[in-house]
Amino acid sequence: MNDIVDYFSTIPSLHRGLILVGGIAIFWMIENAFPLFRFNYKKWNHAGINIFFTLTTIIVNFILAFILLLASEWALKNNFGVLEWLPELPLWLYTLTGLLLLDLIGAYLAHLVQHKTRWLWHFHLIHHTDTWVDTTTANRHHPGESVVRFVFTAAAVLITGAPMWLAFLYQSLSVVFSQFNHANISLPEKLDKYISYIIVSPNMHKVHHHYVLPYTDSNYGNIFSIWDRLFGTFLTLPKEKIVYGVDTHMEASENNRLSNLVAIPFQKHRSPQVLPEEKI
């Protein structure tokens, strides 16, 4: 554990970039070999759109990174935050507790709020418009959403009182887990089910990308699945029934054209479809 602390205390920006790129490359190869769905699409064109949004996310996080540092330094200096108020814990338990709390605020809560707040949903909608969900979809976030997510991450660091090594560890794990649970990979159903008791599995997250409510408003977690189970937002759906996208933007001109995706938050809002209860 001490080696992990030392590494993430001084992790170079290059290494953080390599974690992102390496994750995409690894899951890209796996989903080509063992796809969950065989999409009829131009994979490189689709990846190009999602990689554009990945780059804008990297830029936003790079520009605002100093805020994370200030939040962490202030919390530690003033003995502020949940981790600061807890009794002394073994390092592994301290790390796990911190990751759980950071995931709760920086991922689950951020995700939930974006679904429940109309103007924030307009930005998050770009992520859901993808009708070919694969590992590149993980970072398909409008720049406006990237700012919102960063605000929640900074708030999570402040509220938890996380040191920077823990914040960097969380961000690195968050990237890899997001790439994993978005990847178009086919795991044995029992294995996927068992995994989903602890972490967000591919089949679990794919339900969240089903094109209509209430499934779109479920399974918000990114790393740990405990939050969805605890707060009653966990839903299941057989993978053969999953249809990717969001019902308000199912046309290719709306969901597969970069210029339109960038403009979506500023377009007229459309009401989503709710499935009749008997179909759920």
Side-chain angles (χ1 to χ4, degrees):
M1 281 300 302
N2 288 322
D3 290 339
I4 293 176
V5 173
D6 291 341
Y7 175 70
F8 282 98
S9 294
T10 58
I11 183 171
S13 297
L14 175 62
H15 288 197
R16 298 178 68 197
L18 289 174
I19 289 172
L20 187 152
V21 174
I24 290 178
I26 290 170
F27 291 120
W28 181 296
M29 291 186 289
I30 295 174
E31 66 185 16
N32 277 338
F34 307 101
L36 178 65
F37 298 115
R38 295 195 177 276
F39 296 133
N40 181 22
Y41 72 142
K42 296 179 180 178
K43 192 174 178 73
W44 281 101
N45 289 352
H46 171 257
I49 291 175
N50 292 348
I51 289 173
F52 168 83
F53 287 116
T54 299
L55 292 175
T56 61
T57 298
I58 291 172
I59 292 170
V60 168
N61 284 320
F62 180 78
I63 292 174
L64 299 179
F66 74 97
I67 297 176
L68 281 187
L69 180 61
L70 291 175
S72 178
E73 287 183 344
W74 185 90
L76 295 178
K77 183 179 179 180
N78 293 277
N79 295 317
F80 183 86
V82 177
L83 292 174
E84 292 293 309
W85 301 329
L86 291 174
E88 187 173 351
L89 301 171
L91 183 56
W92 70 268
L93 185 56
Y94 175 92
T95 303
L96 178 59
T97 303
L99 290 175
L100 280 163
L101 293 173
L102 289 169
D103 187 53
L104 169 62
I105 302 168
Y108 179 87
L109 183 61
H111 202 170
L112 175 69
V113 169
Q114 288 181 94
H115 275 253
K116 301 303 182 182
T117 308
R118 176 172 290 193
W119 70 273
L120 291 179
W121 167 249
H122 290 180
F123 288 96
H124 183 54
L125 178 59
I126 284 75
H127 182 70
H128 278 271
T129 58
D130 200 337
T131 55
W132 301 304
V133 176
D134 63 18
T135 193
T136 66
T137 307
N139 300 110
R140 179 185 169 119
H141 300 304
H142 191 280
E145 179 182 359
S146 297
V147 173
V148 172
R149 284 179 171 268
F150 185 91
V151 168
F152 273 90
T153 300
V157 170
L158 184 63
I159 292 169
T160 60
M164 277 310 299
W165 69 264
L166 186 55
F168 283 146
L169 173 60
Y170 163 70
Q171 285 188 314
S172 299
L173 289 175
S174 183
V175 165
V176 173
F177 272 86
S178 186
Q179 292 169 346
F180 166 65
N181 56 49
H182 283 89
N184 181 37
I185 57 178
S186 180
L187 296 179
E189 288 195 18
K190 285 188 176 180
L191 176 60
D192 192 284
K193 181 179 179 180
Y194 292 145
I195 288 175
S196 73
Y197 285 116
I198 302 173
I199 62 173
V200 178
S201 68
N203 284 358
M204 175 183 168
H205 190 71
K206 298 305 190 298
V207 174
H208 179 74
H209 279 272
H210 187 53
Y211 78 118
V212 289
L213 296 171
Y215 298 100
T216 311
D217 284 352
S218 70
N219 301 3
Y220 296 110
N222 185 38
I223 298 178
F224 300 103
S225 62
I226 181 176
W227 306 122
D228 282 297
R229 294 180 181 276
L230 183 63
F231 297 122
T233 53
F234 178 81
L235 286 179
T236 60
L237 184 68
K239 60 185 179 183
E240 59 270 13
K241 292 187 177 182
I242 292 176
V243 177
Y244 291 140
V246 62
D247 62 327
T248 57
H249 293 74
M250 293 300 286
E251 298 297 325
S253 60
E254 298 174 316
N255 60 47
N256 199 40
R257 190 156 55 90
L258 183 58
S259 59
N260 187 69
L261 291 171
V262 173
I264 280 178
F266 314 105
Q267 297 171 352
K268 185 178 179 180
H269 179 70
R270 308 174 193 178
S271 298
Q273 176 186 345
V274 181
L275 282 181
E277 187 173 347
E278 62 269 16
K279 291 186 179 181
I280 298 175

